[in-house]
Amino acid sequence: MRKTQMLTVLFCVVSTAFTVAAQTPPLLLSVARVQVKPDRVGEFMDVEKQYSAAFKKGGGTIRVVYRNVAGNPFEFMVVSTMPNYAIQDDKSFYAKGATEAELARMAARRNQCVESVRTTYERTQPDLGFNPPGTPQPKTVTMVRVNVHPDMIQQWMATVKNELVPAWKKAGQPGMLARRVEYGGSRNQFTIRVPLNKWADLDGEGPLVKALGQDGAAKLGAKLSSMSSAEWLVYNFVPELSVRPPQ
């Protein structure tokens, strides 16, 4: 029972992305997970500032960068919006905001700092979360990457929509965002992101227990766990590397 409660608490205190109202149409996201060499983090961040400036100058509006603090501290996640896939056939915002020579120089420096990069294209799932208007970008977020059993995807999505989200709201939590991989990885993978105001929030009684009671939280946690496997991570928002509209 204690293990199930812990899984429930962790699941519900944890996901690319950034602030998107649950009522808005699904957004297409580019999500790059970058493994940086431990001795090149400072240089990597310096280059990313240049990429961020080029992105903004080229017309990009949302580019959110996170750094992993519970999992792999040398992993950075770069999340940016895309209007559609067709934009890949045109110049990127980076190319529109910098010369070819500048991009080549930036890429060369970046490649010296990076061990690996994995990029996925993901779609937000408004029905699987909520985000009150005016919610600021959290300084720290908890994320759960969920791999759902292929034959249970619809059942899992219905459970999140009809049981987890209402309970999360009832617990008075500030928001919950979800996205799903379309290309670059398994379409069985979802990411759920919630703000983490302080680490102490991970101690003691979790939000679902407050909303549903011990038995209700345990049953919902067991139900979700029976349909999926997950890993729980914590990221810090890196504002100096990010581009966001004024709030």
Side-chain angles (χ1 to χ4, degrees):
M1 176 66 73
R2 179 61 178 170
K3 182 178 180 182
T4 300
Q5 292 174 357
M6 285 297 295
L7 286 172
T8 304
V9 171
L10 285 170
F11 182 90
C12 297
V13 178
V14 288
S15 122
T16 219
F18 37 78
T19 303
V20 178
Q23 291 75 23
T24 60
L27 294 176
L28 180 60
L29 310 174
S30 169
V31 182
R33 296 180 178 87
V34 186
Q35 175 65 37
V36 179
K37 297 175 182 177
D39 60 339
R40 306 298 285 270
V41 171
E43 184 178 359
F44 170 81
M45 294 182 69
D46 182 60
V47 175
E48 284 300 301
K49 289 179 184 178
Q50 298 173 40
Y51 271 108
S52 182
F55 179 86
K56 185 175 182 179
K57 184 178 179 181
T61 57
I62 298 180
R63 179 183 192 266
V64 180
V65 179
Y66 295 102
R67 182 175 182 179
N68 194 318
V69 292
N72 179 353
F74 302 110
E75 180 200 57
F76 288 76
M77 186 189 310
V78 182
V79 183
S80 57
T81 56
M82 299 168 56
N84 46 49
Y85 284 112
I87 196 174
Q88 299 290 78
D89 298 323
D90 195 5
K91 277 189 174 183
S92 69
F93 292 126
Y94 302 102
K96 292 177 181 179
T99 66
E100 290 187 13
E102 288 172 334
L103 284 176
R105 175 181 53 78
M106 290 157 55
R109 285 191 65 196
R110 194 175 193 260
N111 288 340
Q112 293 175 352
C113 303
V114 170
E115 291 185 348
S116 64
V117 180
R118 178 167 185 174
T119 300
T120 53
Y121 297 104
E122 308 186 21
R123 187 83 60 174
T124 60
Q125 305 291 307
D127 288 345
L128 306 186
F130 67 100
N131 199 60
T135 301
Q137 168 66 49
K139 294 181 179 179
T140 302
V141 297
T142 50
M143 297 193 186
V144 57
R145 291 179 192 157
V146 185
N147 290 298
V148 183
H149 303 327
D151 59 340
M152 293 185 172
I153 291 176
Q154 295 305 315
Q155 183 181 352
W156 181 88
M157 293 176 69
T159 301
V160 172
K161 176 182 177 180
N162 299 322
E163 299 183 46
L164 180 60
V165 171
W168 199 248
K169 289 181 178 179
K170 183 178 179 181
Q173 296 303 300
M176 171 179 167
L177 302 177
R179 63 181 191 258
R180 182 182 182 181
V181 172
E182 287 190 347
Y183 291 97
S186 170
R187 291 186 175 180
N188 301 343
Q189 186 176 91
F190 295 75
T191 298
I192 295 177
R193 190 222 78 176
V194 297
L196 179 63
N197 295 322
K198 55 185 183 298
W199 283 87
D201 291 343
L202 300 179
D203 294 324
E205 192 175 73
L208 275 198
V209 175
K210 295 177 182 178
L212 304 176
Q214 294 283 356
D215 289 344
K219 288 178 181 178
L220 180 54
K223 185 176 182 180
L224 290 166
S225 296
S226 71
M227 294 183 278
S228 61
S229 61
E231 61 176 341
W232 298 272
L233 305 164
V234 180
Y235 290 83
N236 282 339
F237 172 56
V238 188
E240 64 268 30
L241 306 184
S242 302
V243 175
R244 289 185 52 81
Q247 291 184 321

